[in-house]
């Protein structure tokens, strides 16, 4: 294997490590948000959240393991291929001898490679089968139910990236549609400052992630600061704050149950429309923006 190929493989491994590190951080942020959503004393929800966290962690670990195995498998395959090519180029007479000799018995190394190739084929087939099963999965069912609800109102989902900022970016998109632009970071800053200036309205609803005990005053301040400085996931509490700082009603449409409406007292302006997705991503809940069916997507907004 030449130097360029070694560098290429090293880059792939490095990029994968960075990707896994980033996804683990995103998952931890997501887990923190889930645990923060548990009201004090709500043992049932706490149990459900703990089970969901365990599933998310297991799913992520399994996917990371499979991705790493794929990289290692491809690296070994490249090594073998290059080795065979080097031998063939350096000893052309060997090819002539082989063509005139009896069939060569399969080596142990080749049998090992064949077994690996067979396992890879089985894995690919398993993935394909899983895709078929996903057609009836919770994610697909949720998407179909939500689509039917939106179609009745001539609405459709506008996809927002899943990076921890989805709630704020979805609100940013809605404000842009109403010609009252406000950046995602500005929204985060306003939510952070509003919560710090109204601690009695929000502090009692937040608890420690591990023990379930109420946050101390210092921990509450840290929570508020991280809203402005980190891509922490926003939930119902942050929705309430957004309605207050924007003085505008927010309607969250979901597949199961009626739409959630916050800030009903701010009815002078059209509501900001979001969709809530519980199963769309492996890392958990997600918010998208919702727009009229006839409205064309504005490419310049995404640029």
């Amino acid at each position: 294997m030449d130097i360029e190929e070694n560098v290429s493989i090293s880059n792939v491994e490095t990029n994968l490590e960075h990707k896994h590190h980033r996804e683990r951080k995103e998952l931890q942020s997501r887990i923190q948000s889930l645990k923060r959503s548990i009201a004090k004393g709500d043992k049932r929800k706490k149990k459900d959240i703990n089970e969901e966290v365990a599933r998310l962690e297991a799913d992520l670990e399994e996917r990371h393991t499979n991705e790493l195995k794929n990289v290692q498998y491809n690296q070994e395959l490249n090594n073998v291929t290059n080795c065979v090519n080097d031998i063939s180029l350096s000893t052309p007479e060997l090819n002539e001898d082989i063509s005139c000799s009896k069939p060569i018995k399969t080596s142990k190394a080749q049998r090992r490679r064949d077994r690996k190739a067979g396992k890879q084929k089985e894995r690919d087939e398993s993935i394909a089968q899983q895709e078929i099963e996903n057609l009836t999965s919770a994610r697909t069912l949720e998407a179909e139910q939500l689509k039917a609800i939106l179609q009745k109102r001539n609405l459709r989902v506008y996809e927002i990236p899943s990076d921890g900022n989805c709630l704020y970016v979805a609100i940013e998109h809605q404000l842009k549609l109403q010609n009252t632009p406000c950046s995602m970071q500005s929204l985060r800053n306003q939510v952070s400052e509003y919560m710090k200036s109204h601690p009695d309205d929000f502090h009692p609803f937040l608890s420690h992630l591990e023990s379930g005990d109420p946050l101390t005053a210092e921990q509450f301040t840290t929570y508020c600061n991280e809203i402005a400085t980190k891509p922490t996931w926003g939930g119902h509490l942050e929705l309430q704050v957004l309605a207050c700082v924007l003085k505008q009603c927010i309607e969250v449409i979901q597949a199961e149950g009626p739409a959630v409406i916050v800030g009903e007292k701010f009815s002078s302006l059209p509501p900001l429309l979001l969709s809530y997705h519980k199963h769309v991503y492996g890392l958990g809940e997600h918010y998208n923006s919702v727009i009229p069916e006839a409205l064309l997507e504005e490419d310049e907004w995404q640029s």
Side-chain angles (χ1 to χ4, degrees):
M1 181 182 297
D2 57 29
I3 295 176
E4 291 184 358
E5 289 174 329
N6 272 319
V7 171
S8 176
I9 291 174
S10 176
N11 288 340
V12 170
E13 293 177 339
T14 300
N15 291 338
L16 186 61
E17 289 176 358
H18 289 167
K19 173 177 176 290
H20 287 178
H21 179 68
R22 183 179 69 255
E23 290 180 344
R24 282 192 289 268
K25 288 183 64 178
E26 290 174 353
L27 177 58
Q28 288 306 311
S29 176
R30 178 72 191 89
I31 289 173
Q32 289 177 0
S33 297
L34 283 172
K35 291 185 176 181
R36 285 169 181 154
S37 69
I38 304 173
K40 183 179 180 181
D42 192 341
K43 296 182 178 180
R44 181 180 180 83
K45 186 171 183 181
K46 182 176 181 180
K47 178 182 177 182
D48 292 341
I49 291 297
N50 287 337
E51 291 176 351
E52 177 71 5
V53 167
R55 183 186 66 79
L56 293 174
E57 290 177 333
D59 289 348
L60 187 67
E61 182 64 26
E62 180 180 4
R63 180 160 60 81
H64 284 181
T65 299
N66 289 335
E67 289 177 351
L68 183 59
K69 286 181 179 179
N70 283 341
V71 170
Q72 294 171 342
Y73 171 77
N74 290 332
Q75 179 178 353
E76 182 174 345
L77 187 61
N78 285 334
N79 289 340
V80 172
T81 301
N82 285 318
C83 180
V84 172
N85 290 338
D86 290 343
I87 294 174
S88 177
L89 291 174
S90 62
T91 57
E93 66 279 1
L94 181 62
N95 293 329
E96 297 177 1
D97 293 341
I98 291 175
S99 64
C100 300
S101 63
K102 297 180 180 179
I104 299 176
K105 184 178 180 181
T106 304
S107 67
K108 290 183 178 179
Q110 183 60 47
R111 291 198 297 273
R112 185 167 60 250
R113 290 193 293 273
D114 290 343
R115 285 196 298 271
K116 286 187 176 181
K119 290 180 179 179
Q120 181 64 29
K121 182 179 179 180
E122 291 177 0
R123 180 177 179 276
D124 292 339
E125 291 175 349
S126 176
I127 291 174
Q129 180 62 31
Q130 185 62 49
E131 289 299 321
I132 295 174
E133 293 176 359
N134 283 342
L135 294 176
T136 57
S137 67
R139 177 176 59 185
T140 302
L141 292 175
E142 178 186 52
E144 291 176 349
Q145 292 170 349
L146 184 58
K147 183 178 179 181
I149 293 172
L150 294 176
Q151 283 180 337
K152 290 180 180 179
R153 298 175 56 177
N154 295 318
L155 299 172
R156 65 185 177 92
V157 166
Y158 183 96
E159 296 288 344
I160 299 297
S162 176
D163 57 3
N165 295 312
C166 61
L167 173 61
Y168 301 95
V169 177
I171 293 292
E172 176 187 8
H173 181 244
Q174 285 288 302
L175 292 171
K176 176 120 180 141
L177 293 178
Q178 295 186 4
N179 296 317
T180 55
C182 185
S183 71
M184 177 272 294
Q185 187 57 55
S186 176
L187 291 170
R188 280 190 171 277
N189 293 340
Q190 291 181 67
V191 169
S192 175
E193 292 303 317
Y194 189 92
M195 290 182 68
K196 284 191 288 187
S197 63
H198 299 78
D200 293 340
D201 294 335
F202 305 105
H203 192 175
F205 298 97
L206 296 170
S207 58
H208 196 277
L209 294 178
E210 301 300 330
S211 65
D213 296 331
L215 297 183
T216 64
E218 181 180 358
Q219 289 169 337
F220 175 73
T221 300
T222 298
Y223 177 92
C224 296
N225 289 336
E226 288 183 349
I227 291 176
T229 58
K230 296 182 179 181
T232 54
W233 187 84
H236 189 75
L237 200 63
E238 285 77 10
L239 271 170
Q240 292 178 317
V241 181
L242 283 164
C244 291
V245 300
L246 297 172
K247 292 181 171 53
Q248 195 161 356
C249 176
I250 302 174
E251 180 180 359
V252 183
I253 304 170
Q254 53 189 352
E256 297 181 0
V260 175
I261 300 177
V262 295
E264 291 181 271
K265 61 183 178 180
F266 305 113
S267 58
S268 59
L269 294 172
L272 305 174
L273 299 179
L274 308 182
S275 60
Y276 170 77
H277 308 258
K278 186 176 182 180
H279 304 291
V280 69
Y281 290 113
L283 294 181
E285 294 124 39
H286 179 69
Y287 290 96
N288 279 318
S289 178
V290 173
I291 61 177
E293 183 71 39
L295 184 64
L296 295 175
E297 293 182 5
E298 299 182 15
D299 292 336
E300 63 271 15
W301 179 83
Q302 292 184 326
S303 61

mmCIF file with all atom_site columns, all heavy atoms in Angstrom, residues 42 86 100 133 292 297:
data_model
loop_
_atom_site.group_PDB
_atom_site.id
_atom_site.type_symbol
_atom_site.label_atom_id
_atom_site.label_alt_id
_atom_site.label_comp_id
_atom_site.label_asym_id
_atom_site.label_entity_id
_atom_site.label_seq_id
_atom_site.pdbx_PDB_ins_code
_atom_site.Cartn_x
_atom_site.Cartn_y
_atom_site.Cartn_z
_atom_site.occupancy
_atom_site.B_iso_or_equiv
_atom_site.pdbx_formal_charge
_atom_site.auth_seq_id
_atom_site.auth_comp_id
_atom_site.auth_asym_id
_atom_site.auth_atom_id
_atom_site.pdbx_PDB_model_num
ATOM 1  N N   . ASP A 1 42  ? -42.668 12.845  39.241  1.00 0.00 ? 42  ASP A N   1
ATOM 2  C CA  . ASP A 1 42  ? -43.332 12.078  38.175  1.00 0.00 ? 42  ASP A CA  1
ATOM 3  C C   . ASP A 1 42  ? -42.520 10.804  37.923  1.00 0.00 ? 42  ASP A C   1
ATOM 4  O O   . ASP A 1 42  ? -41.694 10.731  37.019  1.00 0.00 ? 42  ASP A O   1
ATOM 5  C CB  . ASP A 1 42  ? -43.423 12.921  36.902  1.00 0.00 ? 42  ASP A CB  1
ATOM 6  C CG  . ASP A 1 42  ? -44.358 12.281  35.872  1.00 0.00 ? 42  ASP A CG  1
ATOM 7  O OD1 . ASP A 1 42  ? -44.621 11.074  35.979  1.00 0.00 ? 42  ASP A OD1 1
ATOM 8  O OD2 . ASP A 1 42  ? -44.800 12.992  34.949  1.00 0.00 ? 42  ASP A OD2 1
ATOM 9  N N   . ASP A 1 86  ? 0.887   -6.317  -5.871  1.00 0.00 ? 86  ASP A N   1
ATOM 10 C CA  . ASP A 1 86  ? 2.352   -6.183  -5.822  1.00 0.00 ? 86  ASP A CA  1
ATOM 11 C C   . ASP A 1 86  ? 3.030   -7.477  -6.239  1.00 0.00 ? 86  ASP A C   1
ATOM 12 O O   . ASP A 1 86  ? 4.010   -7.481  -6.987  1.00 0.00 ? 86  ASP A O   1
ATOM 13 C CB  . ASP A 1 86  ? 2.792   -5.799  -4.409  1.00 0.00 ? 86  ASP A CB  1
ATOM 14 C CG  . ASP A 1 86  ? 2.375   -4.372  -4.069  1.00 0.00 ? 86  ASP A CG  1
ATOM 15 O OD1 . ASP A 1 86  ? 2.053   -3.614  -5.001  1.00 0.00 ? 86  ASP A OD1 1
ATOM 16 O OD2 . ASP A 1 86  ? 2.358   -4.035  -2.865  1.00 0.00 ? 86  ASP A OD2 1
ATOM 17 N N   . CYS A 1 100 ? -1.048  -22.737 -16.185 1.00 0.00 ? 100 CYS A N   1
ATOM 18 C CA  . CYS A 1 100 ? -0.781  -24.064 -16.735 1.00 0.00 ? 100 CYS A CA  1
ATOM 19 C C   . CYS A 1 100 ? -0.835  -25.149 -15.662 1.00 0.00 ? 100 CYS A C   1
ATOM 20 O O   . CYS A 1 100 ? -0.634  -26.331 -15.958 1.00 0.00 ? 100 CYS A O   1
ATOM 21 C CB  . CYS A 1 100 ? 0.607   -24.090 -17.392 1.00 0.00 ? 100 CYS A CB  1
ATOM 22 S SG  . CYS A 1 100 ? 0.784   -22.908 -18.744 1.00 0.00 ? 100 CYS A SG  1
ATOM 23 N N   . GLU A 1 133 ? -38.998 -3.354  6.833   1.00 0.00 ? 133 GLU A N   1
ATOM 24 C CA  . GLU A 1 133 ? -39.747 -3.353  8.091   1.00 0.00 ? 133 GLU A CA  1
ATOM 25 C C   . GLU A 1 133 ? -40.034 -1.929  8.572   1.00 0.00 ? 133 GLU A C   1
ATOM 26 O O   . GLU A 1 133 ? -41.046 -1.679  9.239   1.00 0.00 ? 133 GLU A O   1
ATOM 27 C CB  . GLU A 1 133 ? -38.954 -4.111  9.156   1.00 0.00 ? 133 GLU A CB  1
ATOM 28 C CG  . GLU A 1 133 ? -38.816 -5.600  8.861   1.00 0.00 ? 133 GLU A CG  1
ATOM 29 C CD  . GLU A 1 133 ? -37.936 -6.308  9.872   1.00 0.00 ? 133 GLU A CD  1
ATOM 30 O OE1 . GLU A 1 133 ? -37.428 -5.628  10.792  1.00 0.00 ? 133 GLU A OE1 1
ATOM 31 O OE2 . GLU A 1 133 ? -37.767 -7.537  9.748   1.00 0.00 ? 133 GLU A OE2 1
ATOM 32 N N   . PRO A 1 292 ? -47.819 26.480  4.469   1.00 0.00 ? 292 PRO A N   1
ATOM 33 C CA  . PRO A 1 292 ? -48.944 26.161  3.590   1.00 0.00 ? 292 PRO A CA  1
ATOM 34 C C   . PRO A 1 292 ? -48.511 25.284  2.427   1.00 0.00 ? 292 PRO A C   1
ATOM 35 O O   . PRO A 1 292 ? -47.397 25.409  1.909   1.00 0.00 ? 292 PRO A O   1
ATOM 36 C CB  . PRO A 1 292 ? -49.404 27.536  3.098   1.00 0.00 ? 292 PRO A CB  1
ATOM 37 C CG  . PRO A 1 292 ? -48.949 28.483  4.163   1.00 0.00 ? 292 PRO A CG  1
ATOM 38 C CD  . PRO A 1 292 ? -47.656 27.920  4.666   1.00 0.00 ? 292 PRO A CD  1
ATOM 39 N N   . GLU A 1 297 ? -40.747 26.520  -1.297  1.00 0.00 ? 297 GLU A N   1
ATOM 40 C CA  . GLU A 1 297 ? -39.628 26.655  -0.365  1.00 0.00 ? 297 GLU A CA  1
ATOM 41 C C   . GLU A 1 297 ? -38.722 27.801  -0.819  1.00 0.00 ? 297 GLU A C   1
ATOM 42 O O   . GLU A 1 297 ? -38.447 27.942  -2.009  1.00 0.00 ? 297 GLU A O   1
ATOM 43 C CB  . GLU A 1 297 ? -38.828 25.354  -0.294  1.00 0.00 ? 297 GLU A CB  1
ATOM 44 C CG  . GLU A 1 297 ? -39.615 24.225  0.323   1.00 0.00 ? 297 GLU A CG  1
ATOM 45 C CD  . GLU A 1 297 ? -38.775 22.968  0.424   1.00 0.00 ? 297 GLU A CD  1
ATOM 46 O OE1 . GLU A 1 297 ? -37.587 23.058  0.088   1.00 0.00 ? 297 GLU A OE1 1
ATOM 47 O OE2 . GLU A 1 297 ? -39.305 21.937  0.845   1.00 0.00 ? 297 GLU A OE2 1
#
